[in-house]
Amino acid sequence: MKLKSIVQHVKRAATTQAKVAAGGSLFMASAAAHAQEAAASAAFDAVAEQGTEMAGYAWPVVGAITASLIGIGLFKKFASKAT
């Protein structure tokens, strides 16, 4: 073999290995990005679920406060008429 042909074979082998390494790294980066997206989606779902649960706890409190304010208003109205 000539020296030129050996150099071409080495060059071709090096570029092929570089392409395989680049493809593998792109695949790993894609998999990591997908895993992060799935984790972010799961975290958002958990926060939304907790928010819904807390809103469910708040409605009885809101109802009690509204009923008390109406009751206080009616008490003042009738108390002022009675005197």
Side-chain angles (χ1 to χ4, degrees), residues 18-44:
K19 288 179 183 178
V20 168
S25 64
L26 286 174
F27 177 73
M28 293 304 290
S30 173
H34 179 67
Q36 289 175 351
E37 181 180 323
S41 178
F44 183 75

Side-chain angles (χ1 to χ4, degrees), residues 2-83:
K2 293 183 178 179
L3 181 61
K4 185 177 181 182
S5 128
I6 294 172
V7 170
Q8 287 177 347
H9 286 299
V10 170
K11 183 178 176 184
R12 193 174 309 138
T15 57
T16 303
Q17 289 175 353
K19 288 179 183 178
V20 168
S25 64
L26 286 174
F27 177 73
M28 293 304 290
S30 173
H34 179 67
Q36 289 175 351
E37 181 180 323
S41 178
F44 183 75
D45 290 343
V47 169
E49 183 180 328
Q50 288 176 350
T52 303
E53 183 181 355
M54 289 180 189
Y57 292 144
W59 279 114
V61 175
V62 170
I65 290 172
T66 304
S68 351
L69 291 174
I70 291 172
I72 290 170
L74 289 174
F75 177 77
K76 284 183 179 180
K77 181 177 178 181
F78 290 125
S80 68
K81 284 187 179 184
T83 57

